[in-house]
Amino acid sequence: MPTLSALSPEVLAKYQPVIGLEVHVQLLTNSKAFCGCLNRYGGEPNTHTCPTCLGLPGALPVLNRRAVEFAVLAARAIGCEIRETSIFSRKNYFYPDSPKGYQISQFDKPIAAHGSITIPDADGHPKRIGITRLHLEEDAGKSLHDGFPDSSSRTYIDLNRCGTPLVEIVSEPDLRTPDEAFEYLTRLKEILLYTGVSDCNMEEGSLRCDANVSVMLRSDWNERGAAAFGTKAEVKNVNSFRYIRSALEYEIDRQIGILEDGGRVTQESRLWNNAEGRTFSMRSKEAAHDYRYFPEPDLPPLVVGPDWQAEILGSLPELPEARRARMIEQYSLSPQDAATLTATRAFADGFEIAAKAAKNPRRVAAILTSELTPRLRAQNLDQADSPVSLAGLVLAADLAESGDLSSKQIKQLLDSAFSSNEDFPAVYEREKPQQISDTSAIQAIVDEVIIANPKQVDQYRGGKKTVAAFFVGQAMRLSKGQANPALLNSLVTRKLDALGPL
Ligand SMILES: [Zn+2]
């Protein structure tokens, strides 16, 4: 819900928003970060727990090797340098859904730092957004405030999520508009999905975002730069990129309004209420020293040496940006088609398999983007649930390429495939819309039409050449729409001309 600013464009233009994002991403490991419990969304509450993730006295954490590998993959995919020796720290705070009373995280020596993501700015030019750091940590459990008969008076705790491995990715305050924040998140999610380290499912909380936002006078920015950054507020745990954009638009307006009234922005955490389209103060924001970080005494330093790093990075896939560039080159695609086709790794893989098997990759791209994708969207289906297989896609593309099927016939067959939930080859075999390309067969039809319409024949012979279209139409109807149009046209004209002028 975009907020409609009450401030005039002139007032808004005086200020420069400054935005930084912190993104928490759950890793798709089988077990939790520091114990063998199942790492799985949902489940009967408090069943995926053990003494370690419950924080019982004497239980010791053991680091999950796969979580480290995923963190390294994610970090490299966003251009970070990997720190060979990183340190786990305790971040101390009390929270009902965190029974240990602290979170195992990384503080001054995170596993990775100094990355970047490139986004398009408002003019479409590439803009580099710095990534300060990526560190490993564990998730907390969940407080359930509703869904129970006595939810009005009680809060329930589910600790299944306790100890789920996370990476936190912190951007530099390089973002200047809510749209840039949206772009950054979209690209970050796309990259992470390509690496396969997370499902990035925002509804299930696998990807969560906090946004830091402040405003400053543009004149101050021009004179003093980052030294003149304003006081920031943090918008916590917004669960969709669109909501984050709306929350940032609201916050920017709110802060400018305060400054225009001569007030001061408070450093605090705020929550976005989407129904009301505004943010609310939650609590004053802690500073790092409030957490009393200290090195985790139960875990040794984490060492990811060159050999292990090389082994992990061997499975780093080609990333979306590079893949788009290559596919544009290799298959002569438009940038827009390349963007659509690389939306997910599976989709791009599917396209490339079909493109290599088909006669013309651009036909495959056209059918995939203009025919299949809209039909999938209309039925709310994922690519994986498409009734049309890759082999079906290749057949459709090849039949279009050879001219055996018109684009209209392809559309009709795809409609049948989707309505009967059958693959394209099966529908094609059954309905086989034939094109009659046999000269003698079409010739026979043309003869029949000419004999049946002597009046129109005389008109043509009298010089009214446009009557040819009438014969083509009649013959096409007789052929049940199956005559090859080009052949039919030429046979009709040839036959009529052969009769000579009146
Ligand atoms: Zn456990």
Side-chain angles (χ1 to χ4, degrees):
M1 198 183 302
T3 49
L4 200 59
S5 175
L7 301 165
S8 73
E10 292 75 32
V11 169
L12 289 172
K14 280 184 359 197
Y15 290 89
Q16 171 68 69
V18 175
I19 301 164
L21 298 174
E22 293 170 12
V23 176
H24 288 88
V25 184
Q26 288 182 345
L27 301 176
L28 272 179
T29 54
N30 291 324
S31 54
K32 292 186 178 179
F34 302 110
C35 62
C37 290
L38 190 65
N39 173 28
R40 188 75 39 86
Y41 177 78
E44 186 67 22
N46 303 307
T47 53
H48 306 159
T49 55
C50 72
T52 300
C53 57
L54 291 178
L56 301 186
L60 291 173
V62 178
L63 178 59
N64 183 333
R65 185 181 176 89
R66 197 89 185 103
V68 176
E69 293 171 349
F70 279 168
V72 169
L73 273 180
R76 281 303 298 154
I78 51 176
C80 286
E81 296 159 17
I82 310 299
R83 179 179 266 111
E84 192 169 323
T85 303
S86 62
I87 303 290
F88 285 98
S89 294
R90 284 191 185 180
K91 182 180 184 181
N92 298 283
Y93 58 93
F94 171 79
Y95 232 66
D97 50 23
S98 177
K100 286 206 296 278
Y102 60 87
Q103 176 191 31
I104 303 180
S105 181
Q106 295 189 310
F107 181 51
D108 53 346
K109 291 193 175 63
I111 188 164
H114 311 308
S116 69
I117 289 179
T118 302
I119 62 163
D121 68 9
D123 303 319
H125 300 306
K127 175 173 177 180
R128 180 188 181 279
I129 306 301
I131 290 169
T132 318
R133 56 190 275 144
L134 174 148
H135 66 252
L136 262 168
E137 60 184 28
E138 59 177 338
D139 213 341
K142 268 192 231 176
S143 297
L144 309 173
H145 300 292
D146 36 40
F148 296 92
D150 51 356
S151 279
S152 58
S153 57
R154 285 170 200 268
T155 289
Y156 287 77
I157 305 281
D158 176 9
L159 298 174
N160 281 352
R161 198 176 71 176
C162 256
T164 295
L166 294 176
V167 288
E168 179 173 340
I169 299 165
V170 182
S171 88
E172 292 287 313
D174 289 345
L175 298 155
R176 292 291 172 268
T177 65
D179 282 340
E180 287 186 1
F182 184 87
E183 279 292 338
Y184 168 88
L185 290 168
T186 305
R187 271 152 210 270
L188 174 61
K189 180 178 167 186
E190 187 183 66
I191 293 169
L192 292 170
L193 283 173
Y194 262 65
T195 62
V197 304
S198 175
D199 61 16
C200 296
N201 184 330
M202 294 190 78
E203 273 114 67
E204 295 180 357
S206 328
L207 188 152
R208 312 196 289 271
C209 180
D210 302 337
N212 288 299
V213 53
S214 63
V215 298
M216 66 197 296
L217 284 169
R218 279 183 200 279
S219 52
D220 283 348
W221 169 250
N222 294 338
E223 279 169 31
R224 296 194 290 138
F229 277 175
T231 305
K232 64 188 178 186
E234 183 184 39
V235 186
K236 301 282 288 180
N237 275 334
V238 190
N239 68 355
S240 102
F241 293 170
R242 280 191 307 117
Y243 293 174
I244 287 168
R245 183 160 55 187
S246 302
L248 286 169
E249 283 166 358
Y250 176 85
E251 258 308 294
I252 290 165
D253 267 27
R254 185 185 72 85
Q255 294 183 15
I256 292 176
I258 291 172
L259 297 178
E260 282 289 303
D261 287 344
R264 287 171 63 172
V265 175
T266 320
Q267 176 160 333
E268 61 183 351
S269 295
R270 299 178 68 87
L271 285 177
W272 169 247
N273 182 316
N274 194 55
E276 297 188 27
R278 50 178 294 197
T279 62
F280 289 89
S281 180
M282 183 170 79
R283 55 178 149 85
S284 65
K285 167 88 178 135
E286 303 83 354
H289 62 254
D290 292 330
Y291 292 115
R292 315 296 289 180
Y293 281 98
F294 63 87
E296 166 61 59
D298 292 336
L299 286 168
L302 168 60
V303 179
V304 185
D307 290 349
W308 190 18
Q309 229 188 91
E311 185 192 320
I312 297 168
L313 296 178
S315 64
L316 188 66
E318 185 181 25
L319 296 170
E321 206 61 46
R323 189 163 195 179
R324 273 191 276 279
R326 176 180 61 75
M327 281 173 40
I328 289 171
E329 180 78 21
Q330 188 172 345
Y331 305 110
S332 314
L333 299 176
S334 68
Q336 200 186 346
D337 278 355
T340 310
L341 293 168
T342 52
T344 68
R345 193 170 148 192
F347 195 50
D349 287 348
F351 165 74
E352 292 214 73
I353 291 167
K356 285 184 180 122
K359 293 184 181 121
N360 182 351
R362 294 184 63 173
R363 288 276 182 194
V364 176
I367 292 176
L368 205 47
T369 55
S370 310
E371 304 297 339
L372 286 180
T373 305
R375 284 174 175 78
L376 289 169
R377 205 171 292 144
Q379 297 197 6
N380 213 2
L381 290 175
D382 283 337
Q383 182 63 29
D385 303 323
S386 173
V388 178
S389 66
L390 291 178
L393 172 61
V394 172
L395 179 65
D398 284 352
L399 288 168
E401 181 66 16
S402 63
D404 287 322
L405 289 184
S406 66
S407 58
K408 189 171 169 209
Q409 288 169 326
I410 300 265
K411 283 177 202 290
Q412 286 166 344
L413 291 178
L414 288 174
D415 283 341
S416 300
F418 273 79
S419 61
S420 62
N421 196 27
E422 283 176 288
D423 201 353
F424 184 86
V427 176
Y428 174 68
E429 275 307 313
R430 192 180 58 236
E431 301 189 7
K432 220 165 214 170
Q434 303 269 348
Q435 264 203 4
I436 305 172
S437 300
D438 171 25
T439 309
S440 60
I442 298 180
Q443 187 69 63
I445 297 173
V446 171
D447 288 347
E448 197 182 329
V449 172
I450 284 178
I451 290 162
N453 296 285
K455 207 173 83 192
Q456 284 81 358
V457 172
D458 285 350
Q459 286 175 354
Y460 186 90
R461 296 176 70 197
K464 199 177 171 194
K465 301 292 182 195
T466 51
V467 181
F470 164 79
F471 289 99
V472 171
Q474 293 292 309
M476 189 57 100
R477 199 162 308 147
L478 260 186
S479 79
K480 299 195 173 70
Q482 293 176 350
N484 180 311
L487 189 55
L488 176 60
N489 260 313
S490 79
L491 288 177
V492 164
T493 339
R494 200 187 307 163
K495 183 77 184 176
L496 288 170
D497 286 344
L499 295 171
L502 268 184

